[in-house]
Amino acid sequence: MARLVLILLIPLVCLAAIIYKLAKARRVVSADDMLISAYAPSLAVRCREDFDLLDARRTRIFPRLSARIMRTYPANLWYGLYANGAGDAACPPARMIVILAFTSGTLSWASDAVTGVVGLHHVNLRYDELEGTGTTVLPTAENDPWFNARESEPWSRGSLAYRMIFLTKKNKLKIIVDYREPDMRARPGVPLAEDDSVPQDFVERAQASFRLIRGNGEAPLPGGSGTLPFSPPEVDAKLLADMTGMLLRKQSFFEYLSLFADDLREIISYFRR
């Protein structure tokens, strides 16, 4: 009898593992130029109307881990690249990078605002009941996965970025919105720690460049179709992991149970879509 139960149990476990893997691959989808976290509570990042989605990808990163034994741990990440072309009279040319990074199990994202770079104008933000931070940073070849040293005008002097970070889903989902404009400071290239001449209207444009939208029964978010393609090799996964931040390991037994319940709800949500 025990052998029969074991024979029946093995296929069920394998099927559950496959379903869970498929569910994790589709945690984030792309629809209507938005990146959408597909599981309840569903949440989307919608950029300003003049921005076009150029590319959307997914990848696996290995962020630093706050543990004595293990130094890194895998996490799933999705990103979208946006641009508004040449801009207009009201807004200069700009680009945006939207990142949604998931961790699972007993791990959560640290609430660090910026990793590996010196930032200015660190402020607290609030979008659709989500609290976050905003910091001005300078993308460089040492800290930016999308840095291009052969940029044409007006980007040839580098870019100025305003990085906004939000944590949700018990800190298992980290949202990063990186708004960028050409570096038009009086002394471009000067480290931010030595130059506080960042125009306030740049910060205001960055904070108004997107919205966080929650799906609800009356206005559900679109579901998208299929999984996003993998990130190309030229996007440095290590720099992307550093940009995303550090993972924390949870210790409480009750937190283990809570996180397991979250993963179970995600599997159920996968069948309901």
Side-chain angles (χ1 to χ4, degrees), residues 164-211:
M164 293 158 280
I165 297 177
F166 304 87
L167 292 175
T168 184
K169 198 173 172 31
K170 298 183 180 179
N171 293 355
K172 293 172 67 178
L173 170 60
K174 191 169 193 176
I175 301 171
I176 302 176
V177 180
D178 223 46
Y179 175 88
R180 303 184 178 190
E181 291 182 4
D183 189 353
M184 304 304 291
R185 294 175 299 155
R187 296 187 296 160
V190 173
L192 288 176
E194 304 173 13
D195 181 13
D196 60 355
S197 61
V198 177
Q200 179 60 31
D201 56 351
F202 162 75
V203 175
E204 293 171 354
R205 285 191 298 271
Q207 294 177 354
S209 64
F210 74 102
R211 291 186 296 141

Side-chain angles (χ1 to χ4, degrees), residues 201-242:
D201 56 351
F202 162 75
V203 175
E204 293 171 354
R205 285 191 298 271
Q207 294 177 354
S209 64
F210 74 102
R211 291 186 296 141
L212 296 179
I213 305 173
R214 291 184 183 273
N216 54 56
E218 297 179 356
L221 291 168
S225 60
T227 59
L228 298 180
F230 284 104
S231 179
E234 55 265 26
V235 177
D236 191 315
K238 183 180 183 304
L239 292 181
L240 191 52
D242 290 342

